[in-house]
Amino acid sequence: MSLVTLLPFIVLIGAMILMTRSAKKKQQQAVDMRNQMQPGSGVRTIGGMYATVKEVSEDTVLLDAGPGVELLFAKNSIGAVLSDEEYNRLVHGIEHDLKSDVVPDDASSLTETDEPSDDASAASDDKPIDLGKKDASDDAADETAEAKAAHKADEAEPKKTDGESDAK
């Protein structure tokens, strides 16, 4: 057999060896992470539940999921051990001093000054400008008044039922 014929098999075997090495590395990292668990640390299970570690034994972990709720999990079911800051942020909603660096929603707070400007005070003393909408609103008010009067007149007349018709 020639070297050209064996080359694809050699590349395939090399790729398989590299993949198994990376998988073993990930497994070893997960085992190390689970061994670092201590009582009081926050964890996330592979099912997505957040809890605090209460006790750690050889193959199991006792988790405190809330007041009076203790759950026994296999160590392999722990997906991640969280730092205290991350656990508090996710579970309790406690942010780490980032609220002092809040960006405003609009730029008006960035341009405001403590002293009122002359233009702003002059603009607030002016009366609103009449753009001729008064006539249109008077017409609409008159039409509304006529409609109300017609409605009251209809209510004053007694309603007829099916059995009492005036037609002969």
Side-chain angles (χ1 to χ4, degrees):
M1 285 200 178
S2 70
L3 184 62
V4 176
T5 311
L6 293 175
L7 187 62
F9 293 111
I10 294 171
V11 170
L12 185 62
I13 292 171
M16 288 174 45
I17 290 172
L18 288 175
M19 285 192 289
T20 57
R21 284 188 68 205
S22 66
K24 284 183 183 179
K25 257 188 192 176
K26 287 181 183 179
Q27 285 178 345
Q28 186 60 40
Q29 287 175 347
V31 168
D32 291 342
M33 178 222 21
R34 290 180 184 120
N35 288 335
Q36 290 176 356
M37 281 189 299
Q38 298 174 355
S41 59
V43 296
R44 182 184 67 234
T45 65
I46 58 174
M49 185 182 71
Y50 293 94
T52 306
V53 176
K54 193 165 186 178
E55 292 178 13
V56 180
S57 65
E58 185 72 24
D59 294 330
T60 60
V61 179
L62 185 64
L63 300 177
D64 183 18
V69 180
E70 293 179 354
L71 304 167
L72 187 64
F73 276 83
K75 256 189 180 180
N76 292 339
S77 66
I78 302 300
V81 178
L82 307 171
S83 66
D84 290 338
E85 290 178 4
E86 186 178 8
Y87 181 78
N88 287 332
R89 181 180 62 82
L90 291 171
V91 176
H92 302 295
I94 299 171
E95 292 289 329
H96 178 73
D97 295 331
L98 296 176
K99 292 186 179 184
S100 62
D101 299 332
V102 173
V103 177
D105 290 339
D106 59 348
S108 64
S109 64
L110 300 175
T111 59
E112 292 178 356
T113 59
D114 293 338
E115 301 173 9
S117 66
D118 295 333
D119 296 336
S121 62
S124 64
D125 293 339
D126 291 340
K127 293 181 181 178
I129 299 173
D130 184 18
L131 299 174
K133 293 183 181 180
K134 193 173 193 180
D135 295 336
S137 64
D138 287 344
D139 292 341
D142 290 341
E143 290 174 5
T144 307
E146 290 174 2
K148 285 182 182 178
H151 183 65
K152 286 182 181 179
D154 289 343
E155 288 179 357
E157 238 178 76
K159 303 284 182 187
K160 295 180 182 177
T161 61
D162 290 338
E164 302 174 9
S165 67
D166 289 336
K168 292 185 181 180

